[in-house]
Amino acid sequence: MRASNIFAEPIGTDAPPGQITRRDDHPVPRLGITGTGPFETNKFYGSFHLGQQTSPTFLHPYSVAWARGKGASASWGLTVSHVSADQRIYGQNNDVTGAARYYINPVGIQAVVISAQELGPDTVLTTDQLTDSSVRVNLSPGGQAEPTIQFPLVQGSAFITAIYNGGTPLFQTGLYFSTVTRSTKQPKHGITKYKLHLEDGSTWLLYAKHTQGDPLDLDVVNNGLAQSKKPFYGYVQVAKDPGNGESVYDAASGAYATSTSLTGSVDGSTGTYSFNFQKEGLKNVTLAMYALPHHLSSFDDATRARTTEIKLQTTTKGLATAVLADTWTMVENDLPVDMGFLPWVPEVGSVGTISEDTKNYIHNIARQEISQNMIQQSDQNSMYFSGKALAKFAQILLAIHDMLGDQELTHAGLEKLKEAFARFAQNKQQFPLVYESAWGGVVSSASYQTGDAGVDFGNTYYNDHHFHYGYHILAAAIIGHLDHSWIAENKDYVNTLVRDVANPSPKDTYFPVFRSFDWYHGHSWAHGLYDALDGKNQESSSEDTMHAYALKMWGTVSGDQNLAARSNLMLAIQARSLQAYYLYTKSNTVQPENFIGNKVAGILFENKVDHTTFFGANIEYIQGIHMMPLLPQTPLIRTKEFVAEEWETYFSNGRADAVDGGWKGILYANLATIDPRGAYAFFSQPNFDPGWLDGGASLTWYLCYSAGKCFSHFLTFTPFVDPTPFPRP
């Protein structure tokens, strides 16, 4: 497969299909946003238009927040903070692993505050130029006044840049200035430089480029305030010096990023993607931007040559490294292009061969499961749970057709599944979808009807869309695989769900670009329009990869080559990033050494990592939410090494058998990555309890999933028939 310019064209540009009604309101107001939508709902800068507009925004390695007259500085400007590793706070240690239950970074530290004398209690914060990777924040002295300061904020910025157009700069701190020193030598013509030494021992560098009038000239009023002697026209840049960064910052001063454009291509199993930073200021100056660990490990040779020795700690993504380049290019050499609908093993590929005896055994179970009432099970008041039900039955049919070879049973079940799916395609479910133009997206009508912001996991507020719609898209992909003629009638509806979560282009004016997936972080954010001190978050890394896999397979069956290519690239990036930030082997050097013993993140926030879930602290919940659903992409993300370490830590020696309910089935399906024969024996035992199946899982799929992997390991076996109570042989 060869696909180039995979981000260039939209999936569609038409309005959502007519059965999805339209409204122009949303429960969450767009505080301070100017310009026309659609607007991003799950991106890093959401705090600027939610709540009091004062929660932190995490750029990595810095965070910024509007002081709004609060905090130690009592400023009305923008606070800039950087937290080092020794400032982290750790939770108590786990009795089993000895690992800290969580770690969190302090918020509210006002290291340097960039403000202006003109700002006061009437200050208004607005945002414009909102993209999926950047935003411009404007501070004005009053409602109708022109901005006194503008801040172009881009993920990974080495400097926090403030643009003044005649305002009088103020620089404040809640940590107290030890000294404020003006450099006698300019780093380059027209740039004034100051060193700000703070009482906490940190050093910050301040660069000012005047575009008209006089250079910046500061008067140190006290140990919390330095102010300009006169109005200033130009821009100021602030950066923290880790101790070896001054020469790099000097070289990069005068240029600043305003946004990032994403380009990429795929050639066979190799994918490349580039961050092309748009910049302002001095055109002949190369940008300094900070890269995360998963960027560094995938840089091409040219970009790698531009990395420096300058590193700053991030809140939850390890050490960031300064790179002197206007463009970064990352390469993924092992895209899962050979991954299809069948169980998949990285070393072998798709594995669908099972013995006739095994087929006969599974066939009896499949016949029973496919006779369940699909329409009733999928008729739920939740897009999430209904999607899981549809995907479950789709996987059963896939197994019957592609692995068991029963065309007649497939046809009978497929007609029922089409009828169940039609309820949603016709938008006749309990809480129909609506397209709301206030933010720009397709949401459940549940919160509109009930007034409950948390109903259906916050779908109306843009929580978890890639989870919810991912299951529906996966079901659609399998139906289209089994009956290609079905696609034409349902393509607009399914593509509407795809566009809502993964629109690649601003040419689509109905949906924001990549609502869920964050190409800088290499994974999605599930957190929608809710204000939070710890930033965006995501719990289930495995459902994140499920959504990418669903997009890949829908792109494949629907003929959208670019969607399939983007999704293959996304899966490869997720494998790299999740293994650094979410799933921890003993060799992980990104996360704190005293945390990786947990084996998984639990919930990853922008500012903390908490080894728990939103619904309980049972270990099977915490680990299992990063396993489900078990699909072909699972072993790409969850390596054998990782699964073996996690199993030994928590579930070996019969501990998995003490787990009850659907989580037990999830644990044993996960075991198939390293012990498919043991997994198959568990699922084929004669006293198997259907209560061990999660509502989105089937015994048919788990048996086929583990049996296929058995053959990939060159194992042969017969169905488990030992009448004695299970333990695994």
Side-chain angles (χ1 to χ4, degrees):
M1 177 184 68
R2 181 178 181 85
S4 58
N5 302 315
I6 59 176
F7 298 98
E9 296 303 322
I11 296 164
T13 57
D14 293 337
Q19 67 268 30
I20 299 176
T21 59
R22 181 165 179 157
R23 57 190 303 162
D24 60 6
D25 64 317
H26 190 273
V28 179
R30 303 185 308 277
L31 291 176
I33 295 177
T34 60
T36 58
F39 300 108
E40 299 286 355
T41 55
N42 295 50
K43 296 307 180 187
F44 69 99
Y45 52 79
S47 59
F48 286 122
H49 47 245
L50 296 171
Q52 297 298 308
Q53 300 179 281
T54 56
S55 292
T57 288
F58 299 92
L59 297 169
H60 297 282
Y62 307 115
S63 65
V64 298
W66 184 23
R68 203 171 187 174
K70 306 294 184 181
S73 70
S75 176
W76 293 92
L78 194 75
T79 69
V80 184
S81 177
H82 174 264
V83 178
S84 57
D86 60 8
Q87 293 176 279
R88 292 185 187 128
I89 300 166
Y90 291 94
Q92 65 185 30
N93 292 341
N94 183 289
D95 291 337
V96 175
T97 65
R101 185 191 149 214
Y102 65 82
Y103 72 87
I104 187 170
N105 299 276
V107 296
I109 297 174
Q110 299 181 340
V112 177
V113 188
I114 304 172
S115 189
Q117 187 175 323
E118 292 78 10
L119 301 180
D122 294 327
T123 299
V124 173
L125 184 150
T126 61
T127 53
D128 59 11
Q129 299 183 9
L130 299 87
T131 77
D132 60 315
S133 62
S134 62
V135 66
R136 187 170 69 178
V137 174
N138 311 293
L139 292 177
S140 304
Q144 303 302 316
E146 291 295 314
T148 300
I149 319 176
Q150 295 179 305
F151 300 89
L153 301 178
V154 181
Q155 289 174 300
S157 293
F159 300 99
I160 302 301
T161 300
I163 303 168
Y164 290 84
N165 190 30
T168 307
L170 299 180
F171 302 98
Q172 298 162 280
T173 179
L175 300 178
Y176 304 111
F177 294 126
S178 173
T179 60
V180 177
T181 306
R182 182 170 179 169
S183 296
T184 56
K185 182 180 179 181
Q186 293 182 339
K188 51 180 64 79
H189 178 71
I191 294 181
T192 304
K193 174 183 171 184
Y194 285 85
K195 286 188 180 181
L196 313 178
H197 296 283
L198 305 186
E199 290 288 357
D200 70 343
S202 64
T203 298
W204 294 72
L205 303 175
L206 185 155
Y207 301 87
K209 175 71 173 74
H210 61 287
T211 54
Q212 65 181 77
D214 294 328
L216 181 69
D217 188 7
L218 294 181
D219 181 22
V220 180
V221 178
N222 54 48
N223 63 359
L225 171 65
Q227 66 181 27
S228 175
K229 295 178 180 179
K230 60 181 64 175
F232 180 73
Y233 295 85
Y235 50 94
V236 173
Q237 297 179 282
V238 171
K240 183 180 180 181
D241 182 8
N244 61 341
E246 188 170 357
S247 62
V248 171
Y249 288 142
D250 283 356
S253 64
Y256 57 92
T258 58
S259 64
T260 308
S261 69
L262 176 66
T263 58
S265 64
V266 168
D267 186 0
S269 61
T270 299
T272 63
Y273 65 110
S274 297
F275 296 160
N276 308 286
F277 301 111
Q278 276 67 63
K279 68 178 184 180
E280 298 290 341
L282 301 179
K283 299 301 183 183
N284 62 339
V285 172
T286 303
L287 289 172
M289 302 291 289
Y290 274 99
L292 299 179
H294 78 281
H295 299 135
L296 290 182
S297 63
S298 59
F299 277 159
D300 70 356
D301 291 341
T303 309
R304 187 174 295 109
R306 304 297 297 169
T307 60
T308 73
E309 297 300 316
I310 315 306
K311 298 181 185 295
L312 281 176
Q313 186 69 48
T314 69
T315 47
T316 58
K317 296 290 170 65
L319 286 170
T321 301
V323 182
L324 287 173
D326 293 341
T327 296
W328 300 351
T329 296
M330 284 69 67
V331 181
E332 294 293 346
N333 288 313
D334 296 304
L335 303 189
V337 293
D338 63 338
M339 181 189 296
F341 287 106
L342 297 177
W344 184 84
V345 175
E347 302 86 353
V348 178
S350 294
V351 286
T353 300
I354 53 179
S355 71
E356 288 302 316
D357 286 345
T358 304
K359 285 183 182 180
N360 292 336
Y361 177 78
I362 300 175
H363 194 274
N364 291 329
I365 293 166
R367 191 179 290 111
Q368 297 171 32
E369 289 193 313
I370 206 63
S371 67
Q372 296 173 15
N373 193 327
M374 301 183 198
I375 295 174
Q376 182 183 61
Q377 286 193 31
S378 61
D379 183 15
Q380 304 201 38
N381 61 3
S382 161
M383 284 295 287
Y384 177 70
F385 287 119
S386 61
K388 288 186 70 170
L390 292 170
K392 175 184 78 171
F393 287 112
Q395 285 179 284
I396 295 172
L397 286 170
L398 174 72
I400 292 171
H401 183 272
D402 285 20
M403 297 184 75
L404 305 182
D406 188 334
Q407 310 303 313
E408 183 178 348
L409 186 58
T410 300
H411 177 76
L414 185 58
E415 294 309 305
K416 295 178 183 178
L417 181 58
K418 289 177 182 177
E419 184 179 354
F421 194 94
R423 172 190 284 114
F424 298 90
Q426 295 166 9
N427 207 27
K428 295 181 178 179
Q429 62 267 38
Q430 293 184 34
F431 288 115
L433 299 177
V434 297
Y435 176 83
E436 63 83 17
S437 58
W439 292 93
V442 170
V443 299
S444 168
S445 58
S447 293
Y448 288 103
Q449 295 186 35
T450 66
D452 181 355
V455 68
D456 198 6
F457 304 97
N459 181 295
T460 309
Y461 285 59
Y462 289 100
N463 268 10
D464 298 353
H465 274 207
H466 58 314
F467 300 163
H468 296 199
Y469 300 163
Y471 282 110
H472 288 258
I473 295 164
L474 176 59
I478 295 174
I479 296 172
H481 166 67
L482 297 175
D483 180 4
H484 200 75
S485 66
W486 177 88
I487 295 174
E489 184 178 349
N490 293 275
K491 189 172 184 178
D492 286 349
Y493 166 72
V494 179
N495 273 351
T496 297
L497 302 183
V498 174
R499 290 163 64 190
D500 181 85
V501 298
N503 164 38
S505 170
K507 295 177 183 178
D508 184 345
T509 59
Y510 289 93
F511 299 96
V513 172
F514 288 108
R515 183 188 308 285
S516 302
F517 193 75
D518 188 319
W519 288 88
Y520 181 77
H521 285 273
H523 63 79
S524 299
W525 297 111
H527 186 104
L529 294 172
Y530 301 86
D531 189 28
L533 283 173
D534 291 313
K536 299 298 184 185
N537 72 75
Q538 179 173 258
E539 186 177 50
S540 179
S541 60
S542 49
E543 287 182 305
D544 186 7
T545 67
M546 174 276 296
H547 113 272
Y549 172 72
L551 294 172
K552 162 187 165 71
M553 300 317 299
W554 175 250
T556 299
V557 302
S558 68
D560 189 335
Q561 185 183 51
N562 281 346
L563 175 58
R566 287 193 301 272
S567 305
N568 275 322
L569 179 59
M570 192 183 296
L571 283 166
I573 294 169
Q574 285 173 320
R576 186 181 298 275
S577 68
L578 297 181
Q579 289 161 19
Y581 312 133
Y582 267 94
L583 311 173
Y584 316 136
T585 61
K586 294 175 183 177
S587 59
N588 186 290
T589 58
V590 175
Q591 295 290 14
E593 185 178 1
N594 63 335
F595 189 79
I596 62 173
N598 290 310
K599 310 317 294 179
V600 301
I603 309 169
L604 179 74
F605 297 76
E606 289 183 282
N607 189 55
K608 70 178 180 182
V609 189
D610 194 350
H611 188 240
T612 189
T613 74
F614 287 117
F615 53 88
N618 288 14
I619 197 62
E620 65 268 24
Y621 302 170
I622 303 171
Q623 308 304 125
I625 199 65
H626 296 281
M627 301 175 186
M628 57 172 281
L630 281 300
L631 292 169
Q633 92 285 351
T634 297
L636 174 71
I637 311 299
R638 298 172 56 84
T639 64
K640 290 180 180 179
E641 178 188 10
F642 167 76
V643 173
E645 287 187 19
E646 181 188 42
W647 187 267
E648 183 61 29
T649 300
Y650 293 113
F651 304 117
S652 62
N653 300 319
R655 286 175 290 174
D657 298 321
V659 173
D660 208 0
W663 295 102
K664 191 169 190 173
I666 290 169
L667 296 183
Y668 273 101
N670 157 75
L671 181 65
T673 295
I674 56 171
D675 184 5
R677 185 169 188 164
Y680 184 89
F682 171 78
F683 289 115
S684 62
Q685 61 181 296
N687 59 338
F688 184 85
D689 183 352
W692 296 337
L693 296 173
D694 168 69
S698 70
L699 187 54
T700 301
W701 174 251
Y702 280 167
L703 285 165
C704 286
Y705 183 79
S706 53
K709 290 175 182 289
C710 281
F711 273 75
S712 79
H713 285 66
F714 308 103
L715 298 174
T716 59
F717 54 87
T718 56
F720 185 81
V721 295
D722 188 341
T724 59
F726 179 81
R728 228 182 74 236

